Amino acid sequence: MTVAYHSAQIEADPKVPLIRITRDFAATPEQLFRAHMDPDLYVKWVGPNDISTRIDHWDARSGGSWAFTNLRDGEEYRFHGCFHDVTPTRIVQTFTYDAWPEGVSLETLTLTDLGDGRTRLVATSLVDSFEGRDQWLASGMETGINDGYNKLDQLLSEGLS
């Protein structure tokens, strides 16, 4: 029997400073890839419900880079990174929260076709220390991930317009 992940499963690896997120979607890998690569779609779903996102720079290709700002109640939270490898089923990028510039994360997102119009997303985030990993885990990332993926579910059900 295959386990289905209807909400994000967030795991901290006990042996390396890595966070693993697993989530299933009623969507094709192509739809999920587009939702992660198209900046107009990305801003509609990423992050907690109480923030909005502004794309500051977006060059979604192998060797490209990105930057965005989350906005909440007059406060701004900036993030940036580089796309290292972009393929239809795998995205490798760095991710940095500008307030923690030493906390660069290497992220790998894989999209696996489960058949029947379903896809499993697995994202890993590798940081340089267990302290850094634990800081990410304590930052409220679980709320942002689950809120964001719930918004993505809604967009997918509406046809990603």
Side-chain angles (χ1 to χ4, degrees), residues 3-154:
V3 175
Y5 298 97
H6 302 292
S7 64
Q9 301 300 302
I10 301 170
E11 305 168 278
D13 190 296
K15 296 183 180 179
V16 295
L18 180 130
I19 299 167
R20 181 175 295 102
I21 301 162
T22 306
R23 173 72 149 70
D24 292 349
F25 290 90
T28 65
E30 294 81 13
Q31 288 172 308
L32 286 176
F33 178 79
R34 182 173 167 235
H36 282 81
M37 294 287 97
D38 181 329
D40 294 330
L41 290 174
Y42 190 78
V43 298
K44 291 180 180 180
W45 67 264
V46 72
N49 291 334
D50 64 345
I51 63 106
S52 61
T53 299
R54 177 186 72 225
I55 298 293
D56 301 315
H57 169 74
W58 199 263
D59 183 13
R61 62 177 176 84
S62 296
S65 60
W66 60 270
F68 67 79
T69 303
N70 287 149
L71 307 157
R72 177 192 291 140
D73 299 328
E75 293 185 12
E76 295 187 352
Y77 308 92
R78 291 184 174 85
F79 302 85
H80 72 277
C82 297
F83 291 107
H84 290 264
D85 189 40
V86 176
T87 68
T89 58
R90 184 169 161 249
I91 302 165
V92 180
Q93 66 183 30
T94 57
F95 186 94
T96 303
Y97 172 40
D98 287 7
W100 301 340
E102 69 287 346
V104 178
S105 169
L106 177 62
E107 301 193 338
T108 302
L109 181 139
T110 57
L111 303 170
T112 303
D113 190 339
L114 299 175
D116 223 12
R118 298 197 55 79
T119 299
R120 175 158 299 155
L121 177 152
V122 176
T124 59
S125 298
L126 178 66
V127 297
D128 66 349
S129 69
F130 286 98
E131 295 82 13
R133 181 202 65 193
D134 294 345
Q135 188 175 17
W136 279 109
L137 288 168
S139 71
M141 70 179 284
E142 183 175 350
T143 299
I145 289 167
N146 282 307
D147 283 0
Y149 286 162
N150 290 337
K151 289 184 283 187
L152 180 52
D153 279 335
Q154 184 65 37

